[in-house]
Amino acid sequence: MLGDITSKVMKKKSVEFILLSNGQSTSGWSFLAKLLTALLGVVGLVLAFMFSVVLLAVVGVAVLVLFIYFWWKTRHLRQQIKDFQENQEQEFQHGNDRVYEGESRREDERI
């Protein structure tokens, strides 16, 4: 069967696309069938593109909602960090007399 198809292709100098398992090619289809197949292919591509855009929008909104939720839940922590930094800056500017240097040893009691 493959030899028959190869000889047909070589004689016609054109390539036939085999769509069916029984060896029928698209050359026997009517113009309307070919047009309908092309239109269905284009509609399928457009629907796939629309689905991907909608999916991308849904994922984008979900990421944005999660970011806003995280930002809202950590506002107290951010305020505490800001207050701590301001407190440290004030202590540094007013000249704190504390000295934080020295040595430390840890001696474990061994039995």
Side-chain angles (χ1 to χ4, degrees):
M1 179 170 184
L2 186 59
D4 295 336
I5 294 172
T6 307
S7 64
K8 284 182 186 178
V9 170
M10 295 304 253
K11 287 179 186 175
K12 291 183 180 181
K13 303 250 182 199
S14 64
V15 177
E16 295 182 13
F17 296 103
I18 298 174
L19 297 177
L20 304 175
S21 62
N22 61 3
Q24 294 179 355
S25 68
T26 58
S27 63
W29 289 12
S30 68
F31 175 74
L32 185 60
K34 291 178 183 178
L35 182 65
L36 184 62
T37 303
L39 285 176
L40 286 175
V42 170
V43 168
L45 287 174
V46 169
L47 287 176
F49 178 72
M50 288 173 54
F51 176 73
S52 67
V53 168
V54 168
L55 185 64
L56 184 64
V58 168
V59 168
V61 168
V63 167
L64 182 64
V65 166
L66 286 173
F67 176 76
I68 291 172
Y69 175 78
F70 178 74
W71 179 78
W72 181 255
K73 287 295 187 179
T74 60
R75 69 188 187 280
H76 296 295
L77 179 62
R78 284 183 279 118
Q79 184 63 41
Q80 287 176 354
I81 291 171
K82 182 181 173 186
D83 292 342
F84 179 75
Q85 287 175 344
E86 288 174 357
N87 192 13
Q88 292 294 319
E89 287 176 9
Q90 287 176 358
E91 285 182 8
F92 182 74
Q93 288 174 356
H94 294 302
N96 190 354
D97 290 338
R98 294 185 227 161
V99 176
Y100 294 107
E101 58 183 292
E103 220 175 277
S104 165
R105 280 190 198 164
R106 178 177 174 187
E107 296 182 13
D108 293 330
E109 292 182 22
R110 295 184 185 176
I111 301 177

